[in-house]
Amino acid sequence: MADENCLFCKIIAGKIPGDFVHQDERCVVIRDINPQAPGHVLVIPREHLESLDDASQKDEGLLGHLLRVAARVANDLGHGESGYRTVINTGAGAGQSVFHLHVHVLAGRPLGWPPG
Ligand code: AMP
Ligand code: ZN
């Protein structure tokens, strides 16, 4: 169920523009508006889930799909060989700022570890 106050629900519904690089029946992928690496996209389920914490057993297939799409898009964008990082921030303390579950895919520069 879409949340009318949710930024990503609005982008998925076409009410706010997004730079889409992939769309399927379960998720969309858009370029991050404030990229933290040369390649930075967001894999976003069409269904509104606030965070990973909101996912339940019925969402296991969806979560697997999001990760498979992340890998496919990273490869399609040319980052398969050099590598890429997938990140899910869960909760404000971990850096989540948009409360609609999404997977960051970061690539195109050396990525330090541990992350900040
Ligand atoms: P997080 O902080 O993990 O919740 O990630 C939210 C991400 O959404 C941030 O990296 C933002 O730069 C990104 N973002 C915010 N608004 C937009 C937008 N209109 N289009 C694309 N990405 C956005
Ligand atoms: Zn939403």
Side-chain angles (χ1 to χ4, degrees):
M1 186 78 144
D3 177 335
E4 62 187 22
N5 297 313
C6 170
L7 174 66
F8 288 168
C9 283
K10 287 180 187 167
I11 290 175
I12 289 165
K15 293 176 184 160
I16 291 179
D19 186 356
F20 289 82
V21 299
H22 170 88
Q23 300 194 54
D24 65 39
E25 69 286 353
R26 284 188 279 179
C27 72
V28 304
V29 183
I30 60 170
R31 290 187 196 278
D32 197 291
I33 205 168
N34 181 25
Q36 301 302 307
H40 186 176
V41 299
L42 305 170
V43 184
I44 309 172
R46 290 185 183 276
E47 182 186 348
H48 179 89
L49 295 170
E50 276 207 4
S51 76
L52 189 59
D53 236 35
D54 216 23
S56 61
Q57 196 174 6
K58 73 168 174 43
D59 302 310
E60 283 181 2
L62 174 64
L63 294 174
H65 182 70
L66 299 178
L67 289 178
R68 295 217 337 116
V69 167
R72 199 182 318 146
V73 168
N75 277 272
D76 287 350
L77 295 176
H79 304 301
E81 205 156 307
S82 50
Y84 55 91
R85 182 172 294 168
T86 50
V87 175
I88 302 175
N89 295 324
T90 303
Q96 186 174 6
S97 61
V98 177
F99 287 84
H100 177 136
L101 174 66
H102 51 283
V103 181
H104 294 260
V105 181
L106 295 145
R109 66 167 170 83
L111 296 167
W113 190 263

